[in-house]
Amino acid sequence: MTVEQCYDVAVVGYGPTGATAANLLGQLGLKVLVIERDADVYNRARAISTDEEVMRIWQSVGLADRLQRDMLPDRPTAFVDADGVPFIEMKIAARGAGHPPQQFIYQPAVDHVLRDGVARFSNVGVLIEHECLRVLPKGDQVELMAADLRTDTFKRFRASYVIAADGGSSPTRGQLGVGYTGRTYGERWVVIDTKVLKEWDAHDRLRFHCNPSRPTVDCPTPLGHHRWEYPARDCEDEQELLRDEAIWQVLHDQGITEEHVKILRAVIYRHHVRVADRWRVGRVFLAGDAAHAMPPWIGQGMSAGVRDAANLCWKLAAVINGSAPDSLLDSYQTERKPHVTEVTRRACIGGRIITEHNRFAAAVRNRALRALTRIPGAQSVLQKVMWIPDARYRDGFFAASKHRAVGWQIPQPRITDAAGDAVRLDDVLGGRWTILHTGAAPGGASAWTELGVPALRIDEPTLVRWLRRKNADAVVLRPDGFIYAAAESEQMLPEPPTGLIPATIGVTA
């Protein structure tokens, strides 16, 4: 048993959630340890899409533009009937986060870029092929024990805090005795990943084949890949379903032949709707699939974990740096859980539309939704009902005032910086507390500026209009871009909360 040094934060698991957390914490200057059991990036493309808000998070660690090169943005989506005729056709509209609103991804490529990003930080250590066997809170630290799977030796570490991003079967969650409630769908789904050999009509768009006899998801993925997913019938044997002959039978029904794709791998899985009873146990936090699992219908499982990391990491840095009380960390679950719950609910709605097996009900669905989409404005209503909810937290670490702008994430237009260049807003804000105002410096601003919080006047038209729709002439932004406090022109901004030293919270390395 070797005893190693102490860290600010230990991250257990090195998937997209853990790797995003390692990038965020590394950039904040914290001493971080990542523990990962597997030897390399998992080569199966599990997540297949993400969105503009997640790209904004990856932008904050300087990786968005690199990731964008391997993504497929702004593809149309169609829900088609058994004859292949669409009854819903739509493209996701942007909400102003400064990136394409929907992106198809090839997860192994994303994982590699995120890990390359972590390698920039000398303050982040990564232990690959190490299995975390124990996470034991002890006073003001957490003791971890890991097995080196290459040498059959054991190592012990200490950390001030731990982020457990070790998946849906999270051993850490089990050690802490935290329940994982919900349900698992009985229906088995076959997932086929392929390499594209020859493109075909509609190869680059998402289609939900809502055929009662065999619902099928037909999904483009970048870098020359394509995926299909479909349910197994009760009478079908799993081993037979995974044979090439059975797979080709389904693909041939879609008009796809051996000249179009090469089958790379096939697996069977079940959908889960689960959430951990607690996301914080003392100094240990659950994130990503360790905290929640949802069906894949709107492609938000990975994205939800990345949002968890973004919400949690700046708060951990604030507490560790002594610029905020430990109670700040209690807002993590308060803010994130309702958003995850609503995302999951919408994913389930989408799943019900896609997987209706009753032919009469499917016919009614097709006719009703086809008629609905002909109504002007219906597309935006469908997006509001079926796509991810707004970037807004209704409760959590915010000023006590009930101003309607509080809890919203500020949009991200391009603005003109001091050098006269057009840049994204977040690149100017730099992940720090900031006051934005549209006129004269607001009343009460001095209490913030005396703590080192900058006050910036903005005149970018879309941002000014957005603030005015929220009846706000001045807002205080948290490091994650969410509005902590807001005021109209004649109002005073709320004072900074007791114990908070905002100027020390932000990018420090």
Side-chain angles (χ1 to χ4, degrees):
M1 174 80 72
T2 60
V3 179
E4 303 287 345
Q5 54 191 322
C6 183
Y7 295 84
D8 292 319
V9 182
V11 179
V12 182
Y14 205 24
T17 301
T20 298
N23 275 284
L24 290 164
L25 297 168
Q27 183 167 257
L28 287 164
L30 300 185
K31 187 176 182 181
V32 180
L33 174 69
V34 179
I35 302 174
E36 167 58 40
R37 179 186 58 195
D38 293 335
D40 201 351
V41 164
Y42 190 53
N43 66 1
R44 185 168 70 82
R46 291 167 290 181
I48 57 172
S49 73
T50 191
D51 60 78
E52 59 191 309
E53 295 165 21
V54 170
M55 292 299 291
R56 191 173 179 178
I57 294 166
W58 288 333
Q59 175 197 336
S60 73
V61 290
L63 298 177
D65 291 339
R66 172 62 189 88
L67 286 162
Q68 184 68 68
R69 297 207 301 264
D70 294 336
M71 294 184 178
L72 188 63
D74 295 336
R75 296 293 88 196
T77 297
F79 293 72
V80 304
D81 60 23
D83 297 320
V85 180
F87 58 87
I88 298 177
E89 289 185 282
M90 61 191 299
K91 282 184 68 173
I92 301 300
R95 292 175 173 171
H99 294 276
Q102 186 182 35
Q103 306 259 32
F104 291 105
I105 68 170
Y106 184 61
Q107 186 179 333
V110 170
D111 287 339
H112 279 297
V113 173
L114 293 177
R115 292 188 181 192
D116 288 346
V118 173
R120 298 172 296 174
F121 303 110
S122 60
N123 49 310
V124 180
V126 180
L127 293 179
I128 297 296
E129 290 188 88
H130 283 67
E131 184 168 6
C132 187
L133 302 177
R134 184 175 68 188
V135 175
L136 181 63
K138 283 191 173 182
D140 61 353
Q141 290 185 324
V142 182
E143 183 179 283
L144 301 96
M145 187 173 72
D148 186 334
L149 302 179
R150 299 166 298 185
T151 63
D152 289 332
T153 58
F154 299 92
K155 299 175 182 177
R156 191 170 61 196
F157 309 94
R158 290 182 179 272
S160 296
Y161 294 93
V162 173
I163 299 176
D166 48 351
S169 58
S170 174
T172 305
R173 188 185 63 236
Q175 291 176 45
L176 297 172
V178 175
Y180 199 47
T181 55
R183 67 190 180 103
T184 295
Y185 288 84
E187 195 168 51
R188 303 162 296 162
W189 278 74
V190 183
V191 180
I192 311 300
D193 286 317
T194 69
K195 182 70 175 177
V196 175
L197 304 176
K198 178 182 176 182
E199 295 179 351
W200 61 95
D201 183 44
H203 73 279
D204 60 346
R205 63 191 61 191
L206 174 63
R207 291 187 296 178
F208 296 106
H209 298 268
C210 305
N211 186 341
S213 65
R214 177 83 82 179
T216 304
V217 181
D218 174 1
C219 181
T221 48
L223 302 176
H225 293 84
H226 204 91
R227 173 183 288 190
W228 282 268
E229 302 183 16
Y230 49 87
R233 300 185 178 107
D234 291 341
C235 60
E236 292 177 320
D237 176 74
E238 289 192 5
Q239 294 305 313
E240 287 298 316
L241 282 168
L242 299 180
R243 291 171 60 87
D244 282 0
E245 293 83 357
I247 294 169
W248 280 120
Q249 183 176 344
V250 174
L251 296 186
H252 288 162
D253 289 343
Q254 300 282 330
I256 304 301
T257 69
E258 287 81 350
E259 71 173 355
H260 291 116
V261 299
K262 174 185 176 182
I263 298 171
L264 297 179
R265 59 192 64 88
V267 296
I268 289 180
Y269 73 98
R270 286 179 168 85
H271 300 155
H272 306 276
V273 177
R274 295 188 180 275
V275 63
D277 297 341
R278 292 180 292 164
W279 296 16
R280 179 185 187 184
V281 180
R283 291 176 172 267
V284 182
F285 297 84
L286 303 177
D289 289 351
H292 44 75
M294 64 183 70
W297 303 116
I298 56 175
Q300 282 292 304
M302 178 199 71
S303 297
V306 173
R307 286 181 172 85
D308 292 346
N311 184 281
L312 178 59
C313 287
W314 74 267
K315 297 175 182 178
L316 284 170
V319 173
I320 290 168
N321 291 335
S323 55
D326 180 83
S327 58
L328 171 64
L329 299 173
D330 291 331
S331 66
Y332 166 56
Q333 180 175 346
T334 301
E335 292 174 5
R336 286 294 304 134
K337 185 176 179 180
H339 192 272
V340 167
T341 300
E342 178 61 16
V343 171
T344 304
R345 186 188 72 83
R346 295 183 185 202
C348 292
I349 289 174
R352 286 197 292 271
I353 293 173
I354 298 161
T355 61
E356 178 58 64
H357 289 286
N358 182 283
R359 293 186 178 278
F360 176 76
V364 173
R365 171 202 64 195
N366 300 346
R367 183 181 294 272
L369 290 176
R370 191 171 280 125
L372 177 64
T373 56
R374 296 192 183 105
I375 300 173
Q379 294 282 6
S380 61
V381 173
L382 280 172
Q383 178 172 328
K384 198 166 186 63
V385 172
M386 298 174 65
W387 188 230
I388 57 174
D390 293 325
R392 181 189 186 190
Y393 297 137
R394 297 182 179 275
D395 193 15
F397 181 67
F398 300 107
S401 67
K402 299 299 182 183
H403 195 286
R404 61 183 294 189
V406 168
W408 286 86
Q409 188 179 39
I410 197 83
Q412 185 187 208
R414 287 189 177 270
I415 63 171
T416 303
D417 67 5
D421 297 323
V423 297
R424 294 183 180 115
L425 175 66
D426 291 358
D427 294 337
V428 174
L429 301 179
R432 300 179 185 274
W433 286 84
T434 308
I435 297 173
L436 297 181
H437 60 92
T438 60
S446 60
W448 292 88
T449 56
E450 288 171 3
L451 293 173
V453 176
L456 306 178
R457 180 173 179 174
I458 55 170
D459 55 12
E460 197 285 323
T462 61
L463 191 53
V464 170
R465 287 195 297 270
W466 186 89
L467 288 170
R468 287 178 177 165
R469 286 198 297 270
K470 298 286 189 290
N471 294 329
D473 293 288
V475 294
V476 179
L477 299 183
R478 307 188 321 185
D480 59 355
F482 284 81
I483 296 173
Y484 173 82
E488 297 181 52
S489 59
E490 302 301 322
Q491 295 178 325
M492 297 280 289
L493 281 173
E495 294 186 356
T498 303
L500 186 72
I501 311 174
T504 64
I505 308 173
V507 177
T508 59

